[in-house]
Amino acid sequence: MNRLSVKLAMYFLVMILVLEGLLMMYLHPSVGHARVEEEFARQLAAGKNHSAVLSDNFSEDTMHHIVLMESFSDRGVAIYDEEGSLLTRFNRSDINWDEVGAEIEGSEYTTDTLIQSDWKDEPFIVSAHPYIADSGEQGVLVLFQSTTSIHALMDKLNFHFLLAGIVSVLILGFVYMMLSRMLTRPLVRMKVATEKLSRGEFDVALPEKSNDELGELSIAIEKLAADLQEIRKNRSDFLSSISHELRTPLTYLAGYSKVALRPDLSAEEKANYLLIIKEETARLTDLIENLFELAKLDDPSFDVNIEAFAAEPFIQGLFHRLAPSFEESASTLTYQVEPGHVIEADPLRVEQIIVNLVDNARNYSEPGSTTHLSVQSLQGRTQIQVIDQGMGIPKKQQEAIFDRLYRLEKSRSRLHGGSGLGLTIVKELVEAHGGTINVESEPGKGSTFTVVV
Ligand code: ADP
């Protein structure tokens, strides 16, 4: 009872029953009534015709002729005079002539009249037709019409209505089958597929895609399966990389602290090992902070607080914060901002993006090189470019550098505490603004990171 097709078929059934009920209540009686009225009218017309002929030409011959005519039909006829005495009749044994005679004797007819119209219970409908001949004779012609033909007519009508009922039930059965095939079966298969997905089985086989909502649902479920599979793979890859990343500094920490505890070490050696332990701890803290940052970004509720702020003072402030680290490595940081430009973005996040990109530019460049930061408007948005003269990134790896924990040269990245999460965070921040990031780079010449937010 809970199946969709059964429910729909039930609605159809109720609709068809209501429709047929209305037909039976209104159409059937009115059609039947109209047909019976037609029969009455025909009978009255025939009787009127006979009485007119009798009025025009009252004679034995005429009466004989009328009786003869009616003997070939399922009608009967009797002609009475003014006193109600029977002049002639067609001798039908199934008519109660005495009763008819009594009826005629006791009544006076001035016009064609139906004296028996109960076609349901009586074997005949009976009509009386007065005649007055020019020669003075007058009386009544009585016409009998067997009701079998009306009964046959009504039976035929009932049969047609019954047939319509049976056909509509058959159509209902067909509709049920079609609905079940078109709707329920694909839905059941999709339900099975989603159950498999929730159990972690991703090889879902779905029905061939139709060009409608069911097809779209099917495609959406398949996409969901592919996405879930991808997420599960990424998650396990990420977890194994993370455990590796965590294990390395921890191994260093364990090793160096063991060495630092050796009693034969000089104070200078001890200080040296403790410094390494401090650096490794800082690296571990960075890594964990970055992981937290990514977890925050992955949360669907994460949102950026967009506001409009002037680009010039903002970049100037950043420059003063970043320039000293360049000086330390004998490199140069320059910048250029489109005058009067207003950035519409989350300032904290834009700062995070720029700091990450500029830090990378410094870290992956040789001392003495120049990094340039430029900010300008681009089709109503803000374009930020970080251009370095560093080691560059080979074409094949340019896409992968945005992946979690991806590092071109692990040793070099490690040297400055890189975790391989910086660009992933940058990309997610840019995308949270609905923006884009891309890189153009040539190994040995340098890289240009372009962000549009
Ligand atoms: P990391 O913490 O290792 O710097 P990122 O996600 O910031 O991690 O960068 C990923 C990798 O991309 C880096 O390890 C480095 O190999 C490469 N990379 C990033 N920026 C640059 C750059 N400006 N020049 C050359 N290589 C870069």
Side-chain angles (χ1 to χ4, degrees), residues 49-66 131-135 137:
N49 208 13
H50 289 324
S51 65
V53 170
L54 214 54
S55 300
D56 281 354
N57 192 359
F58 185 83
S59 69
E60 280 289 326
D61 263 1
T62 311
M63 287 193 276
H64 178 69
H65 190 69
I66 291 171
Y131 65 87
I132 305 175
D134 292 341
S135 46
E137 290 90 349

Side-chain angles (χ1 to χ4, degrees), residues 1-17 171-185 187 214:
M1 234 349 241
N2 279 329
R3 297 184 57 180
L4 191 60
S5 57
V6 175
K7 279 185 188 168
L8 285 172
M10 288 307 287
Y11 293 145
F12 269 104
L13 182 68
V14 169
M15 246 169 61
I16 284 176
L17 286 181
I171 291 174
L172 185 78
F174 179 70
V175 167
Y176 170 72
M177 266 168 51
M178 292 305 286
L179 283 177
S180 160
R181 176 164 302 193
M182 285 165 52
L183 216 67
T184 321
R185 279 188 216 168
L187 280 176
L214 280 175

Side-chain angles (χ1 to χ4, degrees), residues 14-30:
V14 169
M15 246 169 61
I16 284 176
L17 286 181
V18 168
L19 240 146
E20 285 193 354
L22 288 174
L23 279 181
M24 289 306 270
M25 265 169 67
Y26 297 107
L27 200 60
H28 183 272
S30 70

Side-chain angles (χ1 to χ4, degrees), residues 314-324 332-335 373:
F314 177 77
I315 296 298
Q316 230 164 30
L318 261 179
F319 173 78
H320 290 305
R321 245 187 65 196
L322 292 168
T332 318
L333 177 65
T334 57
Y335 77 96
L373 166 66

Side-chain angles (χ1 to χ4, degrees), residues 415-429:
L415 212 63
H416 66 83
S419 61
L421 290 174
L423 285 181
T424 313
I425 293 172
V426 167
K427 189 166 187 237
E428 298 218 0
L429 288 174

Side-chain angles (χ1 to χ4, degrees), residues 242-263:
I242 277 293
S243 55
H244 174 77
E245 292 295 325
L246 289 172
R247 208 176 299 126
T248 314
L250 285 174
T251 314
Y252 277 104
L253 286 176
Y256 283 112
S257 47
K258 206 169 160 190
V259 178
L261 282 172
R262 276 205 337 234

